[in-house]
Amino acid sequence: MARSENKEMASPTAQLVADVARSMRIRRKLTQEQLGAEIGYSAAAVSAMETCAQPASDDMLAGLEHVLGDGAGIFETARKYIRMEKYPDEFKNYVLLEQAALGLQLFSMNFIHGLFQTESYARALIGGGYPPLPHERVEELVEARIARNVLLHREPSALVELVLEESVLRRVIGSKAIMRDQMRHLAECARRRNVTVQVLSLDSGSSGEHAGGHGSLSVVETSDHQHLVYLEVQEESWLLSDPAKVSTYAQRCAKIRAQALDPRESLGLIEQLAGDEA
């Protein structure tokens, strides 16, 4: 919903998009209603975008690029920066590294990792958190989170290795129907050649070893082959570059993978939970 107070709080990118879109619309001699009809939005939505009462969504930017872009790519480029501005402050530095990464080694012990979430799962997870967020902010965060999964389809491809605690797969977020769809999506991702998904089973500690007890972590290989570690706890985050610390976390991540079910067994469990087991 558009809010008048957003006009004064709009980001520089949102203001730039608004000014450029309005100028190009007028140059094309299109009314707000006519532009809205071409991009699938109401005249009120176009007006809200042009006044920054409601910044352009990802889909609206795609429509603006198609109708007004003239091949310059300005609205397509703006999508990247609008997405960035929607992320929480503690996450913005990491997400740039994530999207450009050559490889990711991920361990998630609380929820399905954000790169692999469906829209419904993300909405239930974000919307059900505490303190409660306004509906508009929930939708912004959902849109930004789902936009991250372009990494899985990017060319050149990134190698992504994910380990999930089994409890993550069994914890119902939103509803059983949402979880079934999430499991099917996760299984589809796991079948990609650049993605490996493993499950750290509930009995993984029965042998006396359990490397995953210290929490979730992400090891990133950057485009210049540097390795970094990202940690996040209770909405606080740390990006580590110290070689000794990074080495320890990378070794821990490798040990977690070794203790997890192999990819074939993991996929079978995910398909079972999705109800798709043959």
Side-chain angles (χ1 to χ4, degrees):
M1 181 182 298
R3 293 178 177 269
S4 59
E5 58 265 32
N6 287 353
K7 299 176 185 180
E8 297 181 359
M9 300 172 59
S11 70
T13 307
Q15 294 179 46
L16 175 64
V17 166
D19 289 345
V20 172
R22 183 175 183 275
S23 296
M24 297 181 78
R25 174 181 64 77
I26 292 173
R27 190 180 69 184
R28 295 281 191 89
K29 298 181 179 180
L30 295 173
T31 66
Q32 291 178 338
E33 185 174 3
Q34 289 170 331
L35 176 59
E38 291 200 44
I39 64 175
Y41 287 85
S42 67
V46 173
S47 175
M49 177 273 295
E50 290 186 354
T51 60
C52 294
Q54 180 64 49
S57 67
D58 202 63
D59 287 341
M60 180 180 280
L61 287 167
L64 291 171
E65 179 65 33
H66 178 69
V67 176
L68 300 178
D70 287 335
I74 186 169
F75 297 109
E76 181 62 31
T77 301
R79 292 172 75 183
K80 170 184 174 182
Y81 295 98
I82 289 286
R83 289 171 189 162
M84 282 297 305
E85 290 167 351
K86 292 177 180 177
Y87 291 119
D89 288 341
E90 69 274 7
F91 191 69
K92 288 178 180 178
N93 290 336
Y94 170 73
V95 76
L96 285 172
L97 293 169
E98 178 188 76
Q99 290 299 300
L102 294 178
L104 295 169
Q105 300 172 41
L106 311 169
F107 172 56
S108 184
M109 66 179 300
N110 296 314
F111 305 107
I112 302 294
H113 191 278
L115 278 174
F116 295 84
Q117 290 178 13
T118 64
E119 184 174 331
S120 295
Y121 182 96
R123 183 173 290 107
L125 182 62
I126 295 169
Y130 189 87
L133 297 173
H135 172 75
E136 293 88 347
R137 181 56 176 156
V138 171
E139 291 305 309
E140 280 187 348
L141 290 172
V142 170
E143 182 179 1
R145 181 165 298 179
I146 298 306
R148 289 167 58 196
N149 69 24
V150 297
L151 171 68
L152 303 180
H153 315 281
R154 189 195 72 195
E155 292 294 340
S157 61
L159 179 64
V160 183
E161 299 175 287
L162 170 67
V163 180
L164 293 166
E165 278 270 13
E166 184 179 344
S167 59
V168 169
L169 307 180
R170 298 187 181 276
R171 180 178 296 113
V172 176
I173 300 295
S175 70
K176 291 183 178 179
I178 287 174
M179 290 305 297
R180 281 195 297 272
D181 288 343
Q182 176 62 73
M183 291 303 103
R184 288 169 181 161
H185 176 69
L186 185 60
E188 181 180 341
C189 291
R191 297 187 190 101
R192 296 185 62 84
R193 293 185 64 183
N194 62 315
V195 175
T196 302
V197 176
Q198 294 177 255
V199 177
L200 189 64
S201 67
L202 291 174
D203 65 355
S204 62
S206 61
S207 65
E209 294 186 11
H210 181 58
H214 294 277
S216 302
L217 68 111
S218 302
V219 180
V220 183
E221 182 181 2
T222 68
S223 57
D224 59 357
H225 303 287
Q226 182 182 9
H227 287 79
L228 304 170
V229 170
Y230 177 75
L231 305 173
E232 187 174 294
V233 178
Q234 294 292 331
E235 298 179 336
E236 298 291 338
S237 64
W238 298 267
L239 189 61
L240 308 178
S241 59
D242 177 77
K245 291 182 178 180
V246 170
S247 177
T248 296
Y249 282 114
Q251 290 175 19
R252 181 177 293 165
C253 210
K255 192 67 172 178
I256 291 169
R257 289 198 305 275
Q259 293 175 352
L261 301 177
D262 69 37
R264 186 182 298 274
E265 291 175 310
S266 298
L267 179 58
L269 175 58
I270 293 167
E271 290 174 334
Q272 177 186 340
L273 293 173
D276 295 337
E277 187 181 37

